[in-house]
Amino acid sequence: MENIYQFAFPLILALIMMSMGLSLTLKNFKTLFIAPKVVFVGLIAQLIFLPLTAYLLLTVFNLRWEFA
């Protein structure tokens, strides 16, 4: 049963990512180059503020590291 999960979850994730990628148009990429600030704000929020918030919640509520 564990082998099914090890195979199914990455496959499902790949299908979801592929379907999202297929929905992109040239207009989406044009918007990206016109307003790159939005992309950088999103990356900073996801790569810096999200892990920092998770760490702060772990320390404030004194949760076990398994929840990290």
Side-chain angles (χ1 to χ4, degrees):
M1 191 65 146
E2 186 174 322
N3 290 335
I4 293 173
Y5 293 130
Q6 288 178 348
F7 177 74
F9 287 149
L11 181 64
I12 292 169
L13 181 62
L15 288 173
I16 291 171
M17 290 174 64
M18 186 180 78
S19 64
M20 289 182 71
L22 288 173
S23 68
L24 292 174
T25 62
L26 288 176
K27 183 180 176 185
N28 297 122
F29 291 102
K30 185 178 177 183
T31 305
L32 171 73
F33 289 114
I34 291 173
K37 180 181 174 183
V38 176
V39 176
F40 290 121
V41 169
L43 282 173
I44 290 171
Q46 188 172 9
L47 297 175
I48 295 175
F49 293 126
L50 189 62
L52 183 63
T53 304
Y55 177 76
L56 290 174
L57 286 173
L58 284 170
T59 55
V60 166
F61 291 114
N62 198 20
L63 298 172
R64 297 185 312 213
W65 285 105
E66 291 86 16
F67 291 115

Short mmCIF file of all heavy atoms in Angstrom, two decimals:
data_model
loop_
_atom_site.label_atom_id
_atom_site.label_comp_id
_atom_site.label_asym_id
_atom_site.label_seq_id
_atom_site.Cartn_x
_atom_site.Cartn_y
_atom_site.Cartn_z
N MET A 1 0.82 -1.20 0.00
CA MET A 1 0.00 0.00 0.00
C MET A 1 0.86 1.26 0.00
O MET A 1 0.51 2.24 -0.63
CB MET A 1 -0.92 -0.03 1.23
CG MET A 1 -1.97 1.03 1.18
SD MET A 1 -3.09 0.75 -0.17
CE MET A 1 -4.58 1.32 0.50
N GLU A 2 1.98 1.21 0.71
CA GLU A 2 2.88 2.37 0.76
C GLU A 2 3.47 2.66 -0.62
O GLU A 2 3.68 3.82 -0.97
CB GLU A 2 3.99 2.13 1.77
CG GLU A 2 4.86 3.34 1.99
CD GLU A 2 5.87 3.12 3.10
OE1 GLU A 2 5.53 2.47 4.10
OE2 GLU A 2 6.99 3.60 2.93
N ASN A 3 3.72 1.61 -1.40
CA ASN A 3 4.26 1.82 -2.74
C ASN A 3 3.27 2.57 -3.63
O ASN A 3 3.67 3.35 -4.49
CB ASN A 3 4.62 0.49 -3.38
CG ASN A 3 5.83 -0.14 -2.72
OD1 ASN A 3 6.64 0.57 -2.14
ND2 ASN A 3 5.93 -1.44 -2.78
N ILE A 4 1.98 2.34 -3.40
CA ILE A 4 0.97 3.04 -4.18
C ILE A 4 1.04 4.54 -3.88
O ILE A 4 0.98 5.37 -4.79
CB ILE A 4 -0.43 2.48 -3.87
CG1 ILE A 4 -0.54 1.05 -4.40
CG2 ILE A 4 -1.52 3.36 -4.48
CD1 ILE A 4 -1.82 0.34 -4.00
N TYR A 5 1.20 4.88 -2.60
CA TYR A 5 1.29 6.29 -2.23
C TYR A 5 2.57 6.92 -2.77
O TYR A 5 2.55 8.07 -3.21
CB TYR A 5 1.25 6.46 -0.71
CG TYR A 5 -0.08 6.09 -0.11
CD1 TYR A 5 -0.16 5.24 0.97
CD2 TYR A 5 -1.26 6.59 -0.62
CE1 TYR A 5 -1.38 4.89 1.53
CE2 TYR A 5 -2.49 6.27 -0.08
CZ TYR A 5 -2.54 5.42 1.00
OH TYR A 5 -3.74 5.09 1.53
N GLN A 6 3.67 6.20 -2.74
CA GLN A 6 4.93 6.74 -3.25
C GLN A 6 4.86 6.97 -4.75
O GLN A 6 5.57 7.81 -5.29
CB GLN A 6 6.09 5.80 -2.92
CG GLN A 6 6.45 5.80 -1.46
CD GLN A 6 7.58 4.83 -1.16
OE1 GLN A 6 7.94 4.00 -1.99
NE2 GLN A 6 8.13 4.93 0.04
N PHE A 7 4.03 6.24 -5.44
CA PHE A 7 3.89 6.40 -6.89
C PHE A 7 2.76 7.38 -7.23
O PHE A 7 2.90 8.22 -8.11
CB PHE A 7 3.61 5.05 -7.55
CG PHE A 7 3.39 5.14 -9.02
CD1 PHE A 7 4.44 5.37 -9.88
CD2 PHE A 7 2.11 5.03 -9.55
CE1 PHE A 7 4.24 5.47 -11.25
CE2 PHE A 7 1.89 5.12 -10.91
CZ PHE A 7 2.96 5.34 -11.76
N ALA A 8 1.64 7.28 -6.51
CA ALA A 8 0.45 8.04 -6.87
C ALA A 8 0.59 9.53 -6.57
O ALA A 8 0.21 10.37 -7.40
CB ALA A 8 -0.78 7.48 -6.16
N PHE A 9 1.12 9.89 -5.41
CA PHE A 9 1.19 11.30 -5.04
C PHE A 9 2.08 12.11 -5.99
O PHE A 9 1.66 13.17 -6.45
CB PHE A 9 1.64 11.47 -3.60
CG PHE A 9 0.58 11.09 -2.60
CD1 PHE A 9 0.92 10.57 -1.38
CD2 PHE A 9 -0.77 11.25 -2.88
CE1 PHE A 9 -0.05 10.21 -0.46
CE2 PHE A 9 -1.75 10.91 -1.97
CZ PHE A 9 -1.38 10.38 -0.76
N PRO A 10 3.29 11.65 -6.31
CA PRO A 10 4.08 12.43 -7.29
C PRO A 10 3.41 12.49 -8.67
O PRO A 10 3.49 13.51 -9.35
CB PRO A 10 5.41 11.69 -7.36
CG PRO A 10 5.50 10.94 -6.08
CD PRO A 10 4.10 10.58 -5.72
N LEU A 11 2.75 11.43 -9.06
CA LEU A 11 2.07 11.42 -10.36
C LEU A 11 0.92 12.42 -10.38
O LEU A 11 0.76 13.19 -11.33
CB LEU A 11 1.55 10.02 -10.68
CG LEU A 11 0.84 9.86 -12.01
CD1 LEU A 11 1.80 10.13 -13.16
CD2 LEU A 11 0.23 8.48 -12.13
N ILE A 12 0.13 12.44 -9.32
CA ILE A 12 -0.98 13.39 -9.23
C ILE A 12 -0.45 14.82 -9.21
O ILE A 12 -0.99 15.71 -9.89
CB ILE A 12 -1.84 13.09 -8.00
CG1 ILE A 12 -2.58 11.76 -8.19
CG2 ILE A 12 -2.82 14.22 -7.73
CD1 ILE A 12 -3.24 11.24 -6.94
N LEU A 13 0.61 15.06 -8.45
CA LEU A 13 1.21 16.39 -8.41
C LEU A 13 1.73 16.81 -9.78
O LEU A 13 1.53 17.95 -10.20
CB LEU A 13 2.34 16.43 -7.38
CG LEU A 13 3.05 17.76 -7.21
CD1 LEU A 13 2.08 18.83 -6.73
CD2 LEU A 13 4.20 17.62 -6.23
N ALA A 14 2.36 15.90 -10.49
CA ALA A 14 2.86 16.20 -11.83
C ALA A 14 1.72 16.53 -12.78
O ALA A 14 1.82 17.45 -13.60
CB ALA A 14 3.68 15.03 -12.36
N LEU A 15 0.62 15.81 -12.69
CA LEU A 15 -0.53 16.08 -13.55
C LEU A 15 -1.15 17.44 -13.24
O LEU A 15 -1.54 18.17 -14.16
CB LEU A 15 -1.58 14.97 -13.40
CG LEU A 15 -1.21 13.64 -14.02
CD1 LEU A 15 -2.24 12.56 -13.65
CD2 LEU A 15 -1.06 13.75 -15.52
N ILE A 16 -1.23 17.78 -11.97
CA ILE A 16 -1.77 19.10 -11.60
C ILE A 16 -0.86 20.20 -12.12
O ILE A 16 -1.33 21.19 -12.69
CB ILE A 16 -1.94 19.19 -10.07
CG1 ILE A 16 -3.06 18.27 -9.60
CG2 ILE A 16 -2.23 20.63 -9.65
CD1 ILE A 16 -3.15 18.13 -8.10
N MET A 17 0.45 20.04 -11.95
CA MET A 17 1.39 21.07 -12.42
C MET A 17 1.35 21.19 -13.94
O MET A 17 1.41 22.30 -14.48
CB MET A 17 2.81 20.74 -11.93
CG MET A 17 2.97 20.91 -10.44
SD MET A 17 4.55 20.36 -9.83
CE MET A 17 5.65 21.49 -10.65
N MET A 18 1.23 20.06 -14.63
CA MET A 18 1.17 20.09 -16.09
C MET A 18 -0.10 20.79 -16.56
O MET A 18 -0.07 21.61 -17.48
CB MET A 18 1.24 18.69 -16.67
CG MET A 18 1.32 18.68 -18.18
SD MET A 18 1.40 17.05 -18.88
CE MET A 18 -0.30 16.55 -18.77
N SER A 19 -1.23 20.49 -15.91
CA SER A 19 -2.48 21.12 -16.33
C SER A 19 -2.45 22.63 -16.07
O SER A 19 -3.00 23.40 -16.85
CB SER A 19 -3.67 20.48 -15.63
OG SER A 19 -3.61 20.70 -14.23
N MET A 20 -1.81 23.06 -14.99
CA MET A 20 -1.67 24.49 -14.75
C MET A 20 -0.75 25.12 -15.78
O MET A 20 -0.99 26.24 -16.24
CB MET A 20 -1.16 24.74 -13.34
CG MET A 20 -2.18 24.44 -12.27
SD MET A 20 -1.58 24.79 -10.63
CE MET A 20 -1.54 26.56 -10.67
N GLY A 21 0.31 24.44 -16.14
CA GLY A 21 1.24 24.96 -17.13
C GLY A 21 0.61 25.06 -18.51
O GLY A 21 0.90 25.99 -19.28
N LEU A 22 -0.27 24.13 -18.83
CA LEU A 22 -0.93 24.17 -20.14
C LEU A 22 -1.91 25.34 -20.26
O LEU A 22 -2.25 25.76 -21.36
CB LEU A 22 -1.67 22.86 -20.40
CG LEU A 22 -0.78 21.66 -20.69
CD1 LEU A 22 -1.62 20.39 -20.76
CD2 LEU A 22 -0.01 21.86 -21.97
N SER A 23 -2.34 25.85 -19.12
CA SER A 23 -3.29 26.97 -19.17
C SER A 23 -2.59 28.32 -19.34
O SER A 23 -3.27 29.34 -19.51
CB SER A 23 -4.15 26.98 -17.90
OG SER A 23 -3.37 27.31 -16.78
N LEU A 24 -1.26 28.36 -19.30
CA LEU A 24 -0.54 29.62 -19.47
C LEU A 24 -0.60 30.07 -20.92
O LEU A 24 -0.57 29.26 -21.85
CB LEU A 24 0.92 29.46 -19.04
CG LEU A 24 1.16 29.25 -17.56
CD1 LEU A 24 2.63 28.96 -17.30
CD2 LEU A 24 0.71 30.44 -16.76
N THR A 25 -0.66 31.38 -21.10
CA THR A 25 -0.66 31.95 -22.45
C THR A 25 0.49 32.95 -22.56
O THR A 25 1.15 33.28 -21.57
CB THR A 25 -1.99 32.67 -22.74
OG1 THR A 25 -2.13 33.74 -21.81
CG2 THR A 25 -3.18 31.72 -22.61
N LEU A 26 0.71 33.45 -23.75
CA LEU A 26 1.74 34.45 -23.95
C LEU A 26 1.42 35.74 -23.20
O LEU A 26 2.32 36.46 -22.76
CB LEU A 26 1.92 34.75 -25.44
CG LEU A 26 2.59 33.63 -26.25
CD1 LEU A 26 2.62 34.00 -27.72
CD2 LEU A 26 3.98 33.37 -25.73
N LYS A 27 0.14 36.01 -23.03
CA LYS A 27 -0.27 37.20 -22.28
C LYS A 27 0.21 37.12 -20.83
O LYS A 27 0.60 38.14 -20.25
CB LYS A 27 -1.80 37.34 -22.34
CG LYS A 27 -2.31 38.58 -21.66
CD LYS A 27 -3.82 38.67 -21.74
CE LYS A 27 -4.30 39.88 -20.97
NZ LYS A 27 -5.75 39.96 -20.90
N ASN A 28 0.19 35.92 -20.25
CA ASN A 28 0.67 35.75 -18.88
C ASN A 28 2.14 36.12 -18.77
O ASN A 28 2.56 36.79 -17.81
CB ASN A 28 0.47 34.32 -18.41
CG ASN A 28 -0.99 33.91 -18.36
OD1 ASN A 28 -1.38 32.94 -19.00
ND2 ASN A 28 -1.78 34.63 -17.60
N PHE A 29 2.96 35.69 -19.73
CA PHE A 29 4.38 35.99 -19.69
C PHE A 29 4.65 37.47 -19.99
O PHE A 29 5.58 38.05 -19.44
CB PHE A 29 5.14 35.09 -20.67
CG PHE A 29 5.16 33.66 -20.23
CD1 PHE A 29 4.32 32.73 -20.82
CD2 PHE A 29 6.00 33.24 -19.22
CE1 PHE A 29 4.33 31.42 -20.42
CE2 PHE A 29 6.03 31.93 -18.81
CZ PHE A 29 5.18 31.01 -19.40
N LYS A 30 3.83 38.06 -20.84
CA LYS A 30 3.96 39.49 -21.12
C LYS A 30 3.69 40.30 -19.86
O LYS A 30 4.41 41.25 -19.55
CB LYS A 30 2.99 39.88 -22.23
CG LYS A 30 3.11 41.29 -22.69
CD LYS A 30 2.13 41.58 -23.82
CE LYS A 30 2.20 43.02 -24.24
NZ LYS A 30 1.22 43.33 -25.29
N THR A 31 2.67 39.92 -19.13
CA THR A 31 2.35 40.59 -17.86
C THR A 31 3.50 40.43 -16.88
O THR A 31 3.81 41.35 -16.12
CB THR A 31 1.06 39.99 -17.27
OG1 THR A 31 0.02 40.07 -18.23
CG2 THR A 31 0.64 40.73 -16.01
N LEU A 32 4.14 39.29 -16.88
CA LEU A 32 5.28 39.05 -16.00
C LEU A 32 6.41 40.03 -16.27
O LEU A 32 7.02 40.57 -15.34
CB LEU A 32 5.78 37.61 -16.17
CG LEU A 32 7.09 37.24 -15.50
CD1 LEU A 32 6.89 37.12 -14.00
CD2 LEU A 32 7.60 35.94 -16.06
N PHE A 33 6.70 40.29 -17.53
CA PHE A 33 7.79 41.19 -17.86
C PHE A 33 7.41 42.66 -17.68
O PHE A 33 8.27 43.50 -17.47
CB PHE A 33 8.28 40.94 -19.29
CG PHE A 33 9.02 39.64 -19.42
CD1 PHE A 33 8.51 38.61 -20.19
CD2 PHE A 33 10.21 39.44 -18.75
CE1 PHE A 33 9.19 37.42 -20.30
CE2 PHE A 33 10.90 38.25 -18.85
CZ PHE A 33 10.38 37.24 -19.63
N ILE A 34 6.12 42.95 -17.77
CA ILE A 34 5.68 44.33 -17.56
C ILE A 34 5.72 44.69 -16.08
O ILE A 34 6.10 45.80 -15.71
CB ILE A 34 4.25 44.52 -18.13
CG1 ILE A 34 4.31 44.44 -19.65
CG2 ILE A 34 3.65 45.84 -17.68
CD1 ILE A 34 2.95 44.45 -20.31
N ALA A 35 5.31 43.76 -15.21
CA ALA A 35 5.25 44.03 -13.77
C ALA A 35 6.04 42.96 -12.99
O ALA A 35 5.45 42.13 -12.31
CB ALA A 35 3.81 44.06 -13.30
N PRO A 36 7.38 42.98 -13.08
CA PRO A 36 8.16 41.96 -12.38
C PRO A 36 8.17 42.14 -10.86
O PRO A 36 8.47 41.21 -10.12
CB PRO A 36 9.57 42.12 -12.96
CG PRO A 36 9.63 43.52 -13.41
CD PRO A 36 8.23 43.87 -13.85
N LYS A 37 7.81 43.34 -10.40
CA LYS A 37 7.80 43.60 -8.96
C LYS A 37 6.85 42.64 -8.22
O LYS A 37 7.16 42.16 -7.14
CB LYS A 37 7.39 45.05 -8.71
CG LYS A 37 7.33 45.46 -7.27
CD LYS A 37 6.90 46.90 -7.13
CE LYS A 37 6.68 47.28 -5.70
NZ LYS A 37 6.19 48.64 -5.57
N VAL A 38 5.73 42.36 -8.83
CA VAL A 38 4.74 41.47 -8.22
C VAL A 38 5.33 40.07 -8.02
O VAL A 38 5.12 39.44 -6.99
CB VAL A 38 3.47 41.41 -9.09
CG1 VAL A 38 2.47 40.43 -8.54
CG2 VAL A 38 2.86 42.79 -9.24
N VAL A 39 6.10 39.61 -9.00
CA VAL A 39 6.71 38.29 -8.90
C VAL A 39 7.74 38.26 -7.78
O VAL A 39 7.77 37.32 -6.98
CB VAL A 39 7.36 37.89 -10.24
CG1 VAL A 39 8.08 36.57 -10.12
CG2 VAL A 39 6.31 37.82 -11.33
N PHE A 40 8.54 39.29 -7.68
CA PHE A 40 9.56 39.33 -6.64
C PHE A 40 8.94 39.44 -5.25
O PHE A 40 9.43 38.81 -4.31
CB PHE A 40 10.55 40.47 -6.89
CG PHE A 40 11.44 40.22 -8.06
CD1 PHE A 40 11.45 41.10 -9.13
CD2 PHE A 40 12.25 39.10 -8.11
CE1 PHE A 40 12.26 40.87 -10.22
CE2 PHE A 40 13.07 38.86 -9.20
CZ PHE A 40 13.07 39.75 -10.26
N VAL A 41 7.88 40.18 -5.12
CA VAL A 41 7.19 40.27 -3.83
C VAL A 41 6.63 38.89 -3.45
O VAL A 41 6.75 38.46 -2.30
CB VAL A 41 6.07 41.33 -3.88
CG1 VAL A 41 5.17 41.25 -2.65
CG2 VAL A 41 6.66 42.72 -4.00
N GLY A 42 6.06 38.19 -4.40
CA GLY A 42 5.55 36.85 -4.13
C GLY A 42 6.65 35.87 -3.75
O GLY A 42 6.48 35.05 -2.83
N LEU A 43 7.78 35.93 -4.44
CA LEU A 43 8.90 35.05 -4.11
C LEU A 43 9.46 35.34 -2.73
O LEU A 43 9.75 34.42 -1.96
CB LEU A 43 10.01 35.19 -5.16
CG LEU A 43 9.78 34.47 -6.48
CD1 LEU A 43 10.87 34.85 -7.48
CD2 LEU A 43 9.75 32.98 -6.27
N ILE A 44 9.62 36.61 -2.41
CA ILE A 44 10.13 36.97 -1.09
C ILE A 44 9.16 36.51 -0.01
O ILE A 44 9.57 35.96 1.02
CB ILE A 44 10.39 38.48 -1.01
CG1 ILE A 44 11.59 38.84 -1.87
CG2 ILE A 44 10.60 38.94 0.42
CD1 ILE A 44 11.81 40.33 -2.06
N ALA A 45 7.87 36.70 -0.25
CA ALA A 45 6.87 36.27 0.74
C ALA A 45 6.91 34.76 0.95
O ALA A 45 6.85 34.28 2.07
CB ALA A 45 5.48 36.71 0.30
N GLN A 46 7.06 34.01 -0.15
CA GLN A 46 7.03 32.56 -0.04
C GLN A 46 8.34 31.99 0.49
O GLN A 46 8.34 31.04 1.26
CB GLN A 46 6.72 31.95 -1.40
CG GLN A 46 6.49 30.46 -1.33
CD GLN A 46 6.00 29.91 -2.65
OE1 GLN A 46 5.98 30.61 -3.66
NE2 GLN A 46 5.59 28.66 -2.65
N LEU A 47 9.45 32.57 0.12
CA LEU A 47 10.75 32.00 0.49
C LEU A 47 11.29 32.53 1.81
O LEU A 47 12.14 31.88 2.43
CB LEU A 47 11.77 32.25 -0.62
CG LEU A 47 11.45 31.58 -1.95
CD1 LEU A 47 12.47 32.00 -3.00
CD2 LEU A 47 11.41 30.08 -1.81
N ILE A 48 10.83 33.70 2.25
CA ILE A 48 11.36 34.28 3.49
C ILE A 48 10.29 34.37 4.57
O ILE A 48 10.45 33.85 5.67
CB ILE A 48 12.00 35.65 3.22
CG1 ILE A 48 13.22 35.48 2.32
CG2 ILE A 48 12.37 36.34 4.53
CD1 ILE A 48 13.87 36.76 1.88
N PHE A 49 9.18 35.04 4.26
CA PHE A 49 8.18 35.30 5.29
C PHE A 49 7.41 34.05 5.71
O PHE A 49 7.07 33.90 6.88
CB PHE A 49 7.23 36.40 4.86
CG PHE A 49 7.89 37.74 4.75
CD1 PHE A 49 7.81 38.48 3.59
CD2 PHE A 49 8.60 38.26 5.81
CE1 PHE A 49 8.42 39.71 3.48
CE2 PHE A 49 9.23 39.49 5.72
CZ PHE A 49 9.14 40.22 4.56
N LEU A 50 7.11 33.15 4.78
CA LEU A 50 6.38 31.95 5.14
C LEU A 50 7.17 31.04 6.07
O LEU A 50 6.65 30.63 7.11
CB LEU A 50 5.94 31.21 3.87
CG LEU A 50 4.99 30.06 4.04
CD1 LEU A 50 3.68 30.53 4.64
CD2 LEU A 50 4.73 29.39 2.71
N PRO A 51 8.45 30.72 5.78
CA PRO A 51 9.22 29.92 6.75
C PRO A 51 9.44 30.64 8.06
O PRO A 51 9.41 30.02 9.14
CB PRO A 51 10.56 29.66 6.04
CG PRO A 51 10.28 29.86 4.61
CD PRO A 51 9.19 30.89 4.53
N LEU A 52 9.64 31.96 8.01
CA LEU A 52 9.83 32.73 9.24
C LEU A 52 8.57 32.68 10.11
O LEU A 52 8.64 32.51 11.32
CB LEU A 52 10.20 34.17 8.91
CG LEU A 52 10.49 35.08 10.09
CD1 LEU A 52 11.71 34.59 10.85
CD2 LEU A 52 10.72 36.50 9.60
N THR A 53 7.41 32.82 9.48
CA THR A 53 6.15 32.73 10.21
C THR A 53 5.96 31.35 10.81
O THR A 53 5.53 31.22 11.96
CB THR A 53 4.97 33.06 9.27
OG1 THR A 53 5.18 34.34 8.70
CG2 THR A 53 3.66 33.03 10.01
N ALA A 54 6.29 30.31 10.07
CA ALA A 54 6.16 28.94 10.60
C ALA A 54 7.09 28.75 11.79
O ALA A 54 6.70 28.16 12.81
CB ALA A 54 6.48 27.93 9.50
N TYR A 55 8.31 29.24 11.69
CA TYR A 55 9.26 29.12 12.80
C TYR A 55 8.75 29.87 14.04
O TYR A 55 8.83 29.36 15.16
CB TYR A 55 10.63 29.63 12.39
CG TYR A 55 11.63 29.60 13.52
CD1 TYR A 55 12.20 28.42 13.92
CD2 TYR A 55 11.99 30.77 14.19
CE1 TYR A 55 13.11 28.38 14.97
CE2 TYR A 55 12.88 30.74 15.23
CZ TYR A 55 13.45 29.55 15.61
OH TYR A 55 14.33 29.52 16.66
N LEU A 56 8.25 31.06 13.82
CA LEU A 56 7.73 31.84 14.95
C LEU A 56 6.53 31.15 15.61
O LEU A 56 6.42 31.13 16.83
CB LEU A 56 7.35 33.25 14.50
CG LEU A 56 8.53 34.16 14.15
CD1 LEU A 56 8.01 35.47 13.57
CD2 LEU A 56 9.39 34.41 15.35
N LEU A 57 5.65 30.57 14.81
CA LEU A 57 4.51 29.85 15.38
C LEU A 57 4.97 28.63 16.17
O LEU A 57 4.41 28.31 17.22
CB LEU A 57 3.55 29.44 14.28
CG LEU A 57 2.71 30.55 13.66
CD1 LEU A 57 1.91 30.03 12.47
CD2 LEU A 57 1.77 31.14 14.70
N LEU A 58 5.99 27.94 15.66
CA LEU A 58 6.52 26.78 16.38
C LEU A 58 7.11 27.18 17.72
O LEU A 58 6.91 26.48 18.72
CB LEU A 58 7.60 26.06 15.54
CG LEU A 58 7.09 25.22 14.40
CD1 LEU A 58 8.25 24.78 13.52
CD2 LEU A 58 6.35 24.01 14.93
N THR A 59 7.82 28.28 17.75
CA THR A 59 8.44 28.69 19.00
C THR A 59 7.45 29.33 19.96
O THR A 59 7.52 29.09 21.17
CB THR A 59 9.61 29.66 18.73
OG1 THR A 59 9.13 30.76 17.97
CG2 THR A 59 10.73 28.97 18.00
N VAL A 60 6.50 30.12 19.45
CA VAL A 60 5.55 30.78 20.34
C VAL A 60 4.63 29.75 21.01
O VAL A 60 4.37 29.83 22.21
CB VAL A 60 4.72 31.82 19.56
CG1 VAL A 60 3.51 32.28 20.36
CG2 VAL A 60 5.59 33.00 19.19
N PHE A 61 4.14 28.78 20.24
CA PHE A 61 3.23 27.79 20.80
C PHE A 61 3.95 26.57 21.36
O PHE A 61 3.30 25.62 21.79
CB PHE A 61 2.21 27.36 19.74
CG PHE A 61 1.24 28.44 19.40
CD1 PHE A 61 1.24 29.00 18.13
CD2 PHE A 61 0.35 28.93 20.33
CE1 PHE A 61 0.36 30.01 17.79
CE2 PHE A 61 -0.55 29.93 20.01
CZ PHE A 61 -0.54 30.48 18.74
N ASN A 62 5.28 26.59 21.34
CA ASN A 62 6.10 25.52 21.90
C ASN A 62 5.70 24.16 21.34
O ASN A 62 5.50 23.19 22.08
CB ASN A 62 6.00 25.53 23.44
CG ASN A 62 7.14 24.77 24.06
OD1 ASN A 62 8.18 24.55 23.44
ND2 ASN A 62 6.96 24.36 25.30
N LEU A 63 5.57 24.10 20.02
CA LEU A 63 5.20 22.86 19.36
C LEU A 63 6.43 21.98 19.14
O LEU A 63 7.56 22.46 19.11
CB LEU A 63 4.53 23.15 18.01
CG LEU A 63 3.22 23.94 18.10
CD1 LEU A 63 2.76 24.32 16.71
CD2 LEU A 63 2.17 23.12 18.80
N ARG A 64 6.19 20.69 18.96
CA ARG A 64 7.30 19.77 18.69
C ARG A 64 7.82 20.00 17.27
O ARG A 64 7.11 20.47 16.39
CB ARG A 64 6.82 18.32 18.83
CG ARG A 64 6.38 17.99 20.23
CD ARG A 64 6.04 16.54 20.33
NE ARG A 64 5.17 16.18 19.21
CZ ARG A 64 4.22 15.26 19.28
NH1 ARG A 64 4.02 14.60 20.39
NH2 ARG A 64 3.46 14.99 18.24
N TRP A 65 9.07 19.62 17.05
CA TRP A 65 9.70 19.86 15.75
C TRP A 65 9.13 18.95 14.67
O TRP A 65 9.35 19.18 13.49
CB TRP A 65 11.21 19.69 15.85
CG TRP A 65 11.82 20.87 16.53
CD1 TRP A 65 12.30 20.93 17.80
CD2 TRP A 65 11.99 22.19 15.99
NE1 TRP A 65 12.74 22.20 18.09
CE2 TRP A 65 12.56 22.98 17.00
CE3 TRP A 65 11.69 22.76 14.76
CZ2 TRP A 65 12.86 24.32 16.80
CZ3 TRP A 65 11.99 24.09 14.58
CH2 TRP A 65 12.57 24.86 15.59
N GLU A 66 8.40 17.91 15.04
CA GLU A 66 7.78 17.05 14.04
C GLU A 66 6.75 17.81 13.21
O GLU A 66 6.47 17.47 12.07
CB GLU A 66 7.10 15.84 14.69
CG GLU A 66 8.06 14.84 15.29
CD GLU A 66 8.44 15.20 16.72
OE1 GLU A 66 7.76 16.03 17.34
OE2 GLU A 66 9.45 14.67 17.20
N PHE A 67 6.16 18.85 13.81
CA PHE A 67 5.17 19.63 13.11
C PHE A 67 5.82 20.58 12.09
O PHE A 67 5.14 21.10 11.21
CB PHE A 67 4.32 20.44 14.08
CG PHE A 67 3.42 19.58 14.92
CD1 PHE A 67 3.61 19.50 16.29
CD2 PHE A 67 2.40 18.85 14.34
CE1 PHE A 67 2.79 18.70 17.05
CE2 PHE A 67 1.58 18.06 15.10
CZ PHE A 67 1.78 17.98 16.48
N ALA A 68 7.09 20.82 12.24
CA ALA A 68 7.79 21.69 11.29
C ALA A 68 7.81 21.06 9.93
O ALA A 68 7.76 21.69 8.93
CB ALA A 68 9.20 21.99 11.78
#
